[in-house]
Amino acid sequence: MIVSRRWLEALLGRALDPQDLERRLGMLGAPVEGIVPLHQDLADVRVARVLEVKQHPNADRLTLCLVDVGGSGGAGPVEVVCGAPNVQAGKKYPYAAVGAVLPGGAKLERKKIRGVESNGMLCSAKELGLGEDHAGILELDTDAPPGTPFLDAYPIADHQIVIEVTANRPDLLCHKGVARELGASLGATIKLPELPVGRSDRRTVGPNYRPAVRRPDRGAVDGVEIRLEDAEGCPRYMAAVIRGVRVGPSPAWLAGRLGNIGQRSINNVVDATNYILFELNQPLHAFDLARLRGPAVVIRRARAGERIVTLDGVERTLTAEMTAICDAERPTIVAGVMGSAESEVTPATTDLVLECAYFQPTRIRRTRRALGLSSESSYRFERGIDLFGMPDALRRAIEAIVAVAGGEVREALDLWPQPIHEKTIFLRPERVAQLLGMTVERRDIEQLLSAIGFVVAPKDSRLAVQVPGWRPDVTHEVDLIEETARLKGYGAFPDELRPYRPGTVPDAPIERAKERVRQAIARGGFYEARTFPLGPADGPDAVEVLNPLSAEEAHLRTRLLPGLVRRVEHNWAGRNRDIRLFEVGTVFRRGTSGVAERTAVAGVLTGARRPPHWTEGAKVPDMDIWDLKHHFELAVRLAAPACHVQPAPGGALGWVAVKRGGGGDDVGGWAGALEADAPVWAAPLFGFEVRLEVVELAPALYRALPVTPPVERDVALVLPPDVTAEAVAGVLHRTSGTLLEALDVFDEYRGPGIPADHRSVAWHLSFRDPGRTLREGEVDKILAAAMRALEDELGVRRRAG
Amino acid sequence: MRDLLAAVHALRERLGEIPQADERRLQDLKTEILGRKAGALTKILGDLPKLQPADRRSVGAAANVLKRDFEAAFAARERDLARASRATVGLDPTMPGRPSWRGGLHLVTQVVAEICDIFRELGFTRAVGPEAETEWYNFGALNFPKDHPAIDVQDSFYLADGLLLRTHTSPVQVRTMEQYRPPIRVVSPGQCYRRDPFDPSHAPVFEQVEGLVVDEGVTFVDLKATLSAFARQFFGPHTATRFSPSYFPFTEPSADMQVSCSVCHGAGCPTCKQTGWMEILGSGMVHPAVLENCRIDPEHYSGFAFGMGPHRIAMVRHGIPDIRLFFEGDVRFLAQFSGEGAP
Ligand SMILES: [Zn+2]
């Protein structure tokens, strides 16, 4: 919402400082987003008086003016060449000296005009950006002495104050509402300014204007029949007929008022209704009586399929859910949203119907959403306007139209099928203290609420508070408590910590689990990414978003890996080859009932196994499938300790994590090579993803550190095809029992000396008895038994030599 | 036998010569004492068989211990000499050290953890809820009027079956109040969604941390005190706070909290748009209608709630100009906030 400082000043009858305004409004809950000074580009222009006008020696149409430009230092009058026909000695005009910067940014140069040097220039309205008039220079009606800054002398300087208005405060969508709040803060009262009466000599509104005639749902106004058939969509409808208006350009004061809040001037009638809109928050609609068939105005639900060409020139199809203002035949206005091009006020209009209505907010909201069409009016109706302020708004609108466009009003009609009163809410002063934590005196409460238009009366131990129509948001006692706190100022309340009781909610286990996993994976050299969870469908059971921002982002992820792969590609695009990223995040699947959410952990790795170092010179090897397996196993231990890692089924080299004792169906993780859009210089890309299970980890128990020496053996074994290292390790463990403390592969070999298809795998075995020193002979015996078992069961022999 | 024992003791004295020996002297000493043929200690050990068994054991033990000590001393000195010689043959100590790959947590994760940790100190635990929510939990239970412009600022992504992606973590408030009885003190971190296209200051998905306190006699003063205490912990002990009226359907009164700018300390800078203040969070007293929706009697209990955006807070505190950087997964960006300094 943009308000004009000058407009507020007119309502409050006092000068306002924009910075002070910003502070006050912020503390009242209407934060100022910006202050835009207007016409600052006229800062160099000053008031000057023409002392003498002479003919230019070399040009008929030019004059030489002796001009008093004021200023210090006794500079004396200067000579200015002027081309305006209206220049007159003794009058004052805006003057720009040589070097002054004018609107548009041009700097005034010293120059000769037809042989005579001009010391600056006298300016037209157009040159100052104040209008289109450039036939003559702008004559100033001011007492200000020459040399006075133009902006101080001529009432056009203004500030646009951009206010953020929350959805609950429609009252702040007009100058009167903002002034009301400021008035409470400043201790000032508001009064609507007199409307300057222009050229109209037939000012028929005023003392003779009778209040509108109240009827339930039908009546006539000045020969126009008005029927309110949709009282649900339009609880109250007022109308007046104004005859004999002269549609034309707005007077400067009106165009200026609107221009200063960024509204384009259209014509005097439309501008007058807009003026009331921005003054009182009452949208009004003036339409041409001559175009009205009947003549009648019918407020009814639209018929499905009825068409209307709105002011913006678009043909729109209405539905039965919308309210339309119609003549005897067809819709002329989409109620509360926009009128038709056809019924628009034009320069030819002489008689018009002025509509002042209250439309039901949700009806307007649905209508404008369905049509995809918003207007200043719909914005306000949707938030709720002042149902009780309508008669005053209509009256002032008639005044404004007559003031700027002339015309005559005989009567007005007020259709209100089910009149209601302002609501009254009871407020317990002790409840204020209970909720706010500080006592606010009863008198204080009364004063604060009264200052913004609530009517407060004591009722037993309570206060009966009548809520003004412009505050539809105030419906409960707690709303009045908020008003009290707001007007008192939040700063008035202390902020010392008081004792509190501990809560009953346990800390969420999933959050602990995520924390633990994130830290451990980061320690493994991975950076945490947080990827965008929407993308193309990445699985058959991906959850679809019904209203995505784009077709490529229409599904929730079922896995984290695709998102991470896109992030790897992003890093590749930045010419980074060494990438290790992980993510802990939510994944979604269509479940039997709605959406199934899980937390997953995923990592991707590519590039050098460690950073290069000058001592090693040669290129560091790239990470391979074995780096992946290590990180996968770690992730499974961290995130899904109930799973164990086994080779993935199918051809490709990879692994899965399978729930122990789950029969192999319950797969909780996967690891393998990944496809990606990789540059030629990129290293292979690998990734893993594991489902995060929430398990309460038992605290780690101490195991006594060994004091007896180990006995160590290295054995190289020849494995036939299809015999896995895991199978060999299984036999070794089984035959050695608990004495085999550690078993590690340290080499693999294929080639000369080993039968074809066979391979040699070397293990380091470490035996230990925690209770005593093992004898070499014992170990030899164990090993011999193990070798026999290996040969019998797997055909594995010790490698010769 | 006494002679041999005395000889062993005498030899021990010579251990002291080793640490000062240069390379040549070290070789001489080695030959003199441990030399295979004429080494003094070698000889003693060689003479052991001539002794009585009892003497053999005591002298043998002493001699063997001494032999070990000499070997260790020679080895240590050799290492020192070797190291010294390497250092002097032109090693450049300004050459870079040997690095290892580093990793780290995302800045938003860190900020969320920091926020939750501070609230843990203030007696809060963490509560979480689903990201795909019902309209009731996301809007209805939170007192959002149906078909009201208040919903516009939370434009939602809709899923099938009347579900939507939550636009704030406030639904967790409702779920928590349904499941637990007061006193309640929780913060709920989590991912939220709004149908705003990506631009430098908006993202369709963002993190939020919300908080809720419900108990007997909880007041607006408690709200101000708790959130000010948080601000001082997070932004520094000299942080000033100010509260101004705001609007959220689920709180009444509602308040925005601003903190004095952590960059300029109130003097005015681009971060705070020259105001000296930064808006950090929204808050308010829990609306009675919300309590009633959770079957908590608002005449008996009251509470406050608050919510903040870790992305925004991180942008303000770390001078990050564009929210999209958080989602790009650029390792160069992530490494800047690993807490180890940029590589
Ligand atoms: Zn600042």
Side-chain angles (χ1 to χ4, degrees):
Chain A
M1 171 70 188
I2 296 173
V3 294
S4 136
R5 170 180 57 81
R6 296 186 71 89
W7 200 331
L8 294 175
E9 286 175 344
L11 282 155
L12 285 161
R14 63 194 290 169
L16 298 170
D17 169 59
Q19 267 66 43
D20 179 61
L21 212 97
E22 172 173 20
R23 194 181 55 78
R24 287 178 193 276
L25 287 173
M27 288 299 120
L28 286 163
V32 170
E33 289 178 326
I35 298 175
V36 185
L38 298 178
H39 301 305
Q40 287 305 295
D41 47 7
L42 298 181
D44 288 350
V45 179
R46 290 176 185 268
V47 175
R49 180 164 48 210
V50 173
L51 302 174
E52 198 185 321
V53 181
K54 292 188 301 191
Q55 186 60 43
H56 189 288
N58 308 325
D60 287 351
R61 296 200 177 171
L62 298 180
T63 53
L64 295 184
C65 304
L66 193 63
V67 181
D68 176 4
V69 298
S72 55
V78 298
E79 198 170 54
V80 176
V81 178
C82 180
N86 66 333
V87 63
Q88 271 181 283
K91 294 210 162 167
K92 290 178 187 164
Y93 304 97
Y95 164 77
V98 169
V101 178
L102 287 175
K107 193 171 173 182
L108 201 60
E109 306 283 348
R110 182 184 301 275
K111 61 179 173 189
K112 281 189 175 174
I113 301 173
R114 292 288 188 100
V116 180
E117 188 159 290
S118 184
N119 296 292
M121 74 186 259
L122 299 169
C123 308
S124 71
K126 185 170 186 181
E127 282 155 345
L128 299 179
L130 297 176
E132 292 305 306
D133 188 359
H134 58 102
I137 51 177
L138 184 64
E139 195 177 309
L140 300 180
D141 179 18
T142 176
D143 297 331
T148 307
F150 176 69
L151 287 177
D152 293 349
Y154 196 66
I156 53 153
D158 199 351
H159 289 87
Q160 283 188 349
I161 319 279
V162 187
I163 302 176
E164 186 191 332
V165 177
T166 52
N168 61 326
R169 292 296 302 275
D171 62 306
L172 296 181
L173 296 173
C174 67
H175 285 81
K176 187 183 183 187
V178 175
R180 185 186 295 121
E181 294 277 311
L182 285 170
S185 171
L186 291 160
T189 49
I190 47 172
K191 186 167 170 286
L192 296 187
E194 286 287 321
L195 297 169
V197 177
R199 56 196 171 185
S200 169
D201 49 349
R202 298 196 301 155
R203 190 165 169 250
T204 55
V205 72
N208 303 328
Y209 177 76
R210 295 186 311 274
V213 177
R214 173 88 61 82
R215 294 269 184 273
D217 59 8
R218 61 176 56 209
V221 56
D222 204 355
V224 180
E225 187 198 355
I226 304 198
R227 290 203 311 272
L228 174 51
E229 294 178 356
D230 180 13
E232 188 198 337
C234 177
R236 188 175 189 182
Y237 191 88
M238 298 182 72
V241 171
I242 308 179
R243 293 184 187 271
V245 296
R246 289 187 298 271
V247 178
S250 285
W253 72 266
L254 181 53
R257 273 270 185 272
L258 294 174
N260 281 8
I261 57 167
Q263 295 293 320
R264 194 167 53 91
S265 174
I266 295 165
N267 60 47
N268 50 4
V269 171
V270 174
D271 286 358
T273 60
N274 279 338
Y275 177 86
I276 302 303
L277 173 79
F278 292 109
E279 184 181 66
L280 302 178
N281 199 35
Q282 173 67 57
L284 297 139
H285 199 91
F287 47 106
D288 193 335
L289 179 56
R291 314 278 184 97
L292 209 60
R293 281 155 286 236
V297 175
V298 183
I299 302 97
R300 60 165 168 85
R301 279 183 181 246
R303 296 184 194 101
E306 259 181 325
R307 286 161 191 275
I308 179 170
V309 177
T310 43
L311 262 179
D312 52 4
V314 179
E315 188 185 53
R316 299 174 189 274
T317 306
L318 306 182
T319 72
E321 302 305 307
M322 301 171 182
T323 302
I325 314 299
C326 312
D327 60 16
E329 295 168 15
R330 63 181 97 162
T332 57
I333 306 174
V334 182
V337 181
M338 197 175 275
S340 68
E342 190 195 19
S343 65
E344 190 184 358
V345 170
T346 67
T349 304
T350 57
D351 300 339
L352 51 86
V353 178
L354 181 63
E355 163 193 296
C356 174
Y358 180 100
F359 296 111
Q360 210 264 324
T362 56
R363 175 73 57 88
I364 299 302
R365 179 177 166 79
R366 287 178 189 163
T367 302
R368 70 103 178 135
R369 282 171 74 98
L371 295 177
L373 178 66
S374 289
S375 63
E376 292 282 355
S377 295
S378 72
Y379 192 83
R380 286 169 173 75
F381 283 126
E382 199 182 311
R383 283 158 175 76
I385 61 158
D386 182 1
L387 182 67
F388 308 103
M390 289 167 60
D392 289 343
L394 178 62
R395 180 197 170 93
R396 185 150 169 98
I398 294 168
E399 275 177 16
I401 290 173
V402 172
V404 298
E408 189 180 353
V409 181
R410 295 232 186 85
E411 54 191 7
L413 185 67
D414 179 2
L415 300 183
W416 199 4
Q418 290 176 303
I420 52 168
H421 287 289
E422 283 96 343
K423 57 187 172 287
T424 294
I425 299 172
F426 293 100
L427 174 63
R428 297 164 290 175
E430 74 276 10
R431 188 74 186 147
V432 176
Q434 274 168 22
L435 199 66
L436 299 182
M438 184 183 89
T439 304
V440 183
E441 294 302 330
R442 193 187 165 105
R443 281 233 335 265
D444 210 1
I445 297 173
E446 287 184 40
Q447 235 164 37
L448 291 169
L449 294 176
S450 305
I452 53 164
F454 290 84
V455 180
V456 187
K459 173 86 179 174
D460 311 324
S461 62
R462 302 176 299 175
L463 296 172
V465 182
Q466 187 184 306
V467 181
W470 60 80
R471 290 300 303 271
D473 59 310
V474 176
T475 54
H476 293 88
E477 183 186 37
V478 70
D479 299 315
L480 294 172
I481 297 175
E482 173 171 63
E483 287 303 292
T484 305
R486 188 174 74 83
L487 295 163
K488 184 88 188 156
Y490 284 0
F493 295 84
D495 65 356
E496 89 269 1
L497 268 178
R498 296 173 182 177
Y500 57 84
R501 297 198 288 174
T504 58
V505 184
D507 198 36
I510 181 77
E511 287 302 303
R512 291 162 177 270
K514 280 154 75 172
E515 215 166 63
R516 194 168 51 79
V517 170
R518 279 184 173 127
Q519 278 163 1
I521 296 184
R523 275 200 301 276
F526 287 71
Y527 285 106
E528 185 189 12
R530 285 172 161 252
T531 67
F532 186 51
L534 294 167
D538 61 1
D541 43 6
V543 177
E544 192 183 359
V545 175
L546 302 180
N547 58 336
L549 283 168
S550 78
E552 294 75 46
E553 294 168 354
H555 290 83
L556 285 163
R557 61 189 177 193
T558 66
R559 294 177 293 141
L560 298 176
L561 274 176
L564 283 174
V565 169
R566 287 194 284 272
R567 297 304 100 214
V568 169
E569 288 164 351
H570 175 84
N571 279 284
W572 278 335
R575 306 207 65 79
N576 182 2
R577 190 173 179 277
D578 304 318
I579 307 153
R580 299 160 316 283
L581 292 174
F582 79 99
E583 180 166 16
V584 176
T586 311
V587 293
F588 305 80
R589 274 169 208 275
R590 260 199 327 268
T592 42
S593 58
V595 175
E597 286 180 35
R598 306 202 63 121
T599 305
V601 180
V604 285
L605 46 143
T606 179
R609 188 168 296 152
R610 56 181 182 275
H613 190 245
W614 54 274
T615 49
E616 289 159 311
K619 194 171 160 286
V620 175
D622 283 333
M623 286 187 286
D624 60 20
I625 199 92
W626 306 112
D627 296 280
L628 169 69
K629 188 181 184 192
H630 165 72
H631 289 295
F632 180 51
E633 286 176 328
L634 180 67
V636 170
R637 281 204 301 279
L638 288 163
C643 291
H644 76 276
V645 171
Q646 62 184 50
L653 188 51
W655 295 271
V656 288
V658 178
K659 193 83 152 264
R660 284 198 188 84
D665 292 344
D666 200 352
V667 175
W670 175 89
L674 295 172
E675 295 291 319
D677 190 1
V680 286
W681 45 260
L685 174 64
F686 305 98
F688 64 84
E689 179 152 353
V690 182
R691 209 159 68 185
L692 177 63
E693 310 280 354
V694 177
V695 281
E696 275 306 305
L697 290 185
L701 289 179
Y702 171 72
R703 281 169 302 173
L705 299 177
V707 289
T708 55
V711 176
E712 326 230 340
R713 290 284 187 277
D714 288 345
V715 292
L717 301 174
V718 179
L719 277 58
D722 301 333
V723 172
T724 64
E726 190 180 49
V728 173
V731 172
L732 286 171
H733 274 294
R734 195 189 72 228
T735 51
S736 309
T738 55
L739 293 180
L740 179 57
E741 188 186 56
L743 176 61
D744 299 299
V745 172
F746 70 88
D747 193 21
E748 184 189 36
Y749 171 77
R750 295 168 209 258
I754 304 294
D757 298 338
H758 287 48
R759 59 185 171 139
S760 161
V761 179
W763 269 275
H764 179 81
L765 296 83
S766 180
F767 295 88
R768 196 195 311 258
D769 185 325
R772 63 191 175 92
T773 303
L774 274 180
R775 288 192 305 276
E776 304 273 338
E778 279 177 86
V779 171
D780 290 339
K781 240 188 257 167
I782 293 170
L783 213 49
M787 292 305 129
R788 275 195 303 279
L790 281 172
E791 182 156 8
D792 293 349
E793 296 174 29
L794 303 173
V796 169
R797 294 162 186 261
R798 243 179 139 138
R799 185 174 165 192
Chain B
M1 171 255 159
R2 293 220 162 270
D3 296 347
L4 279 177
L5 209 52
V8 169
H9 286 307
L11 270 179
R12 178 166 284 282
E13 298 291 306
R14 312 219 29 204
L15 274 170
E17 295 174 29
I18 296 171
Q20 277 79 43
D22 61 15
E23 206 133 342
R24 215 181 142 144
R25 173 81 185 125
L26 196 66
Q27 282 312 313
D28 290 349
L29 277 170
K30 255 177 138 173
T31 314
E32 190 184 330
I33 293 163
L34 297 178
R36 218 173 258 219
K37 289 191 177 123
L41 194 51
T42 314
K43 274 195 204 146
I44 292 171
L45 288 164
D47 287 346
L48 284 178
K50 299 175 189 159
L51 295 178
Q52 296 296 320
D55 294 342
R56 199 188 301 159
R57 199 169 306 140
S58 63
V59 177
N64 273 314
V65 167
L66 185 62
K67 187 181 177 196
R68 253 199 346 258
D69 291 349
F70 266 110
E71 283 167 349
F74 282 130
R77 184 58 187 157
E78 276 166 356
R79 266 199 312 277
D80 286 352
L81 288 171
R83 195 174 301 146
S85 83
R86 260 207 308 278
T88 51
V89 296
L91 269 198
D92 174 2
T94 68
M95 292 289 272
R98 185 175 284 116
S100 60
W101 286 140
R102 313 304 298 166
L105 299 182
H106 194 280
L107 179 58
V108 167
T109 301
Q110 296 178 47
V111 170
V112 170
E114 209 177 322
I115 293 167
C116 292
D117 285 350
I118 292 170
F119 280 106
R120 179 177 298 135
E121 302 275 302
L122 291 165
F124 289 73
T125 50
R126 289 172 294 185
V128 291
E131 292 174 29
E133 265 293 5
T134 63
E135 288 207 76
W136 168 251
Y137 279 111
N138 197 70
F139 290 126
L142 290 164
N143 199 39
F144 276 80
K146 240 187 156 42
D147 259 321
H148 190 270
I151 294 180
D152 290 352
V153 292
Q154 307 210 355
D155 199 359
S156 319
F157 286 114
Y158 286 91
L159 311 175
D161 308 322
L163 294 174
L164 49 76
L165 292 171
R166 67 179 177 193
T167 56
H168 44 192
T169 57
S170 315
V172 179
Q173 287 184 22
V174 181
R175 290 178 176 275
T176 303
M177 283 189 274
E178 284 178 345
Q179 203 183 342
Y180 297 94
R181 303 314 295 171
I184 289 170
R185 288 178 85 80
V186 293
V187 282
S188 44
Q191 195 145 270
C192 307
Y193 303 77
R194 287 186 196 171
R195 211 173 160 280
D196 294 328
F198 272 112
D199 70 24
S201 51
H202 295 89
V205 57
F206 57 95
E207 195 73 11
Q208 197 176 47
V209 179
E210 274 234 346
L212 173 71
V213 172
V214 180
D215 200 357
E216 293 165 7
V218 175
T219 72
F220 189 62
V221 169
D222 296 315
L223 177 156
K224 282 188 70 176
T226 308
L227 298 179
S228 296
F230 161 75
R232 285 190 296 272
Q233 277 286 320
F234 192 89
F235 291 103
H238 301 296
T239 304
T241 54
R242 70 178 188 188
F243 293 79
S244 58
S246 188
Y247 169 63
F248 309 104
F250 44 104
T251 56
E252 187 94 26
S254 302
D256 283 332
M257 182 176 84
Q258 297 180 320
V259 300
S260 50
C261 177
S262 60
V263 178
C264 65
H265 304 287
C269 72
T271 299
C272 58
K273 297 188 190 121
Q274 308 304 331
T275 62
W277 295 91
M278 304 181 303
E279 198 162 309
I280 288 307
L281 56 79
S283 65
M285 301 302 295
V286 181
H287 198 289
V290 176
L291 293 174
E292 276 165 9
N293 286 337
C294 301
R295 295 179 305 282
I296 292 175
D297 179 6
E299 288 290 309
H300 193 68
Y301 289 103
S302 55
F304 65 86
F306 54 89
M308 63 191 100
H311 280 103
R312 228 186 72 73
I313 290 176
M315 287 170 81
V316 165
R317 194 172 66 170
H318 299 275
I320 296 165
D322 192 324
I323 197 171
R324 290 171 289 198
L325 287 162
F326 289 110
F327 298 91
E328 284 175 350
D330 193 310
V331 172
R332 295 167 300 181
F333 173 82
L334 300 172
Q336 283 181 19
F337 303 103
S338 64
E340 299 181 340

